[in-house]
Amino acid sequence: MDISIKELFTRENFSKNDLIRLLQVEGEERTLLFQKSAEIKEKYIGNKVWFRGLIEFSNICGKDCLYCGIRKGNKNLVRYNLTDDEILAAAKFANENRYGSIALQSGELESPAVADRIENLLHKIKELSYGKLGITLSVGEQKPEVYLRWFDAGAHRYLLRVESTNKELYGKIHPKNEKHDFQRRLDCLKSLQYIGYQTGTGVMIGLPFQTLEDLAGDLLFMKNFDIDMCGMGPYIEHADTPLIQHADKLLPLNERFDLTLKMIAIIRIMMKDINIVAATALQAIDPIGREKAIKIGANIIMPNITPGRYRDSYRLYDNKPCTDDSAEDCQSCLEARVSLADAEVIYGEWGDSKHYDERRKGLTVQRRNGKKK
Ligand code: SAH
């Protein structure tokens, strides 16, 4: 605990203990941490924010994650599935408003019909935007061949949160069966990266049973895995989920919020050129939560462009914000918010992670060198 935080910042790589130390900073040291991460963002990314228009196209889910409001077992929820036309209309809205990219997200279903449907939608979205819209998918665990088909159809980023990299903790927040297998989640991430997606992952912060050591392990995992994008948010309890029974073990919301900001700042320092999302869940705790995340390192926001009448049903956690806004409301609100954070929304660009470009270059070199041997 003796080393000064400034000295710590001169290290090339942080140990687990360094990370635990950073997660505990308070007062002046906390300010120094956030200054450092903001400085790095400014240097490597600039004070910029890119949009990913988020289409939560279905809340039907085959899984039963113990924390999640759209889990299969939750009967207190109207299930919906947007029509293809509704999804395409939302993509068109994003394109016309010069959002560089969209993100398609839903519950997790694996079937040939789902694979075909998404493949077909990807082709249509590429067609309607003349190839201009970047597309992120976030539709859970799938077979490698399905990931490959979707990549070939035009998806180029994939978001699959690992939720926790401590296998034991993962086991406590998921049912114990083959549908919720930690190793499969890791294998999916590996195949996404291998296929060539910009690969994003992240964890929930402030879960019951979670320790600072777990979070430090999560940060090291993301660094070692060499992710391109990171999406982390506070865990927020949901009354209709089994995990609510451990609500007495949770940190207060403001502490979960603060820990999330620290996690974002630290990953920005560790992985300077990746894309980091300012998660919507931050705003469920603090009305200007996402702006705070942008100030200290995040550079991506996902404005919700799901048609308004469905938004209330995509309730992952209690108090999910903005469920009664329209897509237009969301855009003007977010634009004002981003400028409050002294940043600028960049329209009409994909805003790919620079890390990905560098990583690909490295891979090409490695492969070339490999061949010579
Ligand atoms: N099922 C899809 C995406 C939908 S859920 C997938 O696997 O990628 C999107 C994310 O919401 C999850 O990865 C999880 O990290 C987050 N989430 C779910 N329940 C939550 C809760 N109670 N509090 C905070 N985040 C939650």
Side-chain angles (χ1 to χ4, degrees):
M1 276 283 180
D2 286 325
I3 182 171
S4 84
I5 189 159
K6 286 193 174 154
E7 235 178 296
L8 251 186
F9 289 148
T10 63
R11 293 197 173 161
E12 285 283 310
N13 288 301
F14 296 133
S15 68
K16 203 173 222 184
N17 280 337
D18 294 341
L19 292 169
I20 294 173
R21 158 101 166 85
L22 287 173
L23 286 167
Q24 286 174 303
V25 290
E26 297 297 342
E28 199 184 323
E29 287 195 329
R30 178 177 175 275
T31 310
L32 286 172
L33 169 68
F34 291 155
Q35 270 171 4
K36 180 74 183 174
S37 60
E39 214 174 88
I40 288 177
K41 182 189 167 193
E42 162 80 51
K43 180 165 168 204
Y44 288 84
I45 314 261
N47 277 337
K48 298 176 185 167
V49 168
W50 288 265
F51 278 172
R52 314 277 184 245
L54 175 63
I55 310 173
E56 297 163 334
F57 67 91
S58 168
N59 66 355
I60 301 171
C61 192
K63 291 179 78 172
D64 247 332
C65 307
L66 304 180
Y67 44 85
C68 185
I70 64 168
R71 67 196 299 271
K72 189 177 176 199
N74 183 7
K75 306 287 177 227
N76 296 334
L77 185 68
V78 179
R79 299 287 167 173
Y80 72 89
N81 185 5
L82 296 193
T83 64
D84 286 4
D85 284 347
E86 285 171 317
I87 297 173
L88 295 173
K92 200 157 165 264
F93 171 88
N95 191 44
E96 282 167 0
N97 285 276
R98 305 190 63 242
Y99 290 15
S101 311
I102 56 168
L104 291 174
Q105 194 178 80
S106 69
E108 292 195 38
L109 289 177
E110 278 190 79
S111 74
V114 166
D116 290 348
R117 180 187 191 206
I118 292 179
E119 185 177 40
N120 176 47
L121 281 167
L122 289 166
H123 285 303
K124 289 206 166 131
I125 293 166
K126 283 286 163 190
E127 209 175 285
L128 73 82
S129 68
Y130 301 100
K132 273 203 315 238
L133 266 183
I135 309 175
T136 307
L137 287 178
S138 178
V139 293
E141 294 169 25
Q142 304 285 341
K143 295 193 180 77
E145 51 270 33
V146 173
Y147 286 147
L148 183 60
R149 274 172 62 195
W150 293 344
F151 186 75
D152 288 342
H156 65 139
R157 307 187 186 109
Y158 207 104
L159 216 54
L160 184 73
R161 285 194 183 173
V162 59
E163 314 297 2
S164 168
T165 59
N166 175 343
K167 190 175 174 192
E168 214 174 292
L169 176 57
Y170 192 92
K172 286 186 183 155
I173 60 170
H174 293 98
K176 291 191 191 351
N177 57 38
E178 77 288 350
K179 259 202 164 176
H180 300 82
D181 180 48
F182 179 65
Q183 191 54 46
R184 171 130 204 259
R185 201 114 185 131
L186 295 184
D187 291 344
C188 284
L189 280 169
K190 279 187 207 137
S191 68
L192 289 164
Q193 191 182 52
Y194 182 77
I195 288 167
Y197 281 95
Q198 291 175 51
T199 307
T201 194
V203 295
M204 283 177 287
I205 296 158
L207 286 161
F209 317 110
Q210 192 179 44
T211 63
L212 291 184
E213 192 179 350
D214 292 333
L215 291 173
D218 294 336
L219 290 165
L220 288 172
F221 170 89
M222 292 191 270
K223 171 88 180 168
N224 293 336
F225 192 88
D226 211 8
I227 61 168
D228 305 301
M229 322 185 293
C230 177
M232 299 187 286
Y235 163 69
I236 301 175
E237 56 273 45
H238 187 301
D240 298 324
T241 60
L243 220 56
I244 195 75
Q245 70 195 34
H246 299 296
D248 59 327
K249 300 178 186 66
L250 296 172
L251 290 172
L253 278 173
N254 64 332
E255 288 182 31
R256 279 179 252 165
F257 180 87
D258 193 59
L259 255 187
T260 306
L261 286 191
K262 286 176 182 161
M263 288 286 284
I264 291 176
I266 298 170
I267 199 74
R268 172 58 76 209
I269 296 171
M270 292 169 79
M271 303 190 76
K272 300 177 170 39
D273 53 0
I274 61 168
N275 278 343
I276 304 178
V277 185
T280 312
L282 284 165
Q283 200 184 321
I285 300 182
D286 180 332
I288 55 164
R290 284 189 285 187
E291 294 72 354
K292 289 182 179 171
I294 289 167
K295 275 213 160 177
I296 56 100
N299 66 317
I300 303 288
I301 280 198
M302 300 171 77
N304 199 328
I305 57 169
T306 310
R309 66 185 179 285
Y310 297 115
R311 284 192 194 186
D312 217 23
S313 300
Y314 201 82
R315 194 176 280 272
L316 302 167
Y317 43 81
D318 288 335
N319 292 324
K320 192 163 173 252
C322 308
T323 52
D324 42 14
D325 289 356
S326 69
E328 288 85 351
D329 292 343
C330 227
Q331 180 179 10
S332 51
C333 162
L334 280 174
E335 200 168 316
R337 285 164 169 281
V338 170
S339 67
L340 274 179
D342 296 322
E344 180 196 1
V345 178
I346 307 296
Y347 286 99
E349 278 184 15
W350 281 9
D352 278 344
S353 120
K354 286 187 197 154
H355 189 80
Y356 176 78
D357 297 338
E358 294 302 317
R359 190 164 68 74
R360 299 297 291 175
K361 270 188 231 155
L363 275 183
T364 316
V365 172
Q366 264 176 30
R367 283 189 183 145
R368 229 182 274 142
N369 291 347
K371 264 184 204 158
K372 273 186 195 159
K373 273 179 204 160

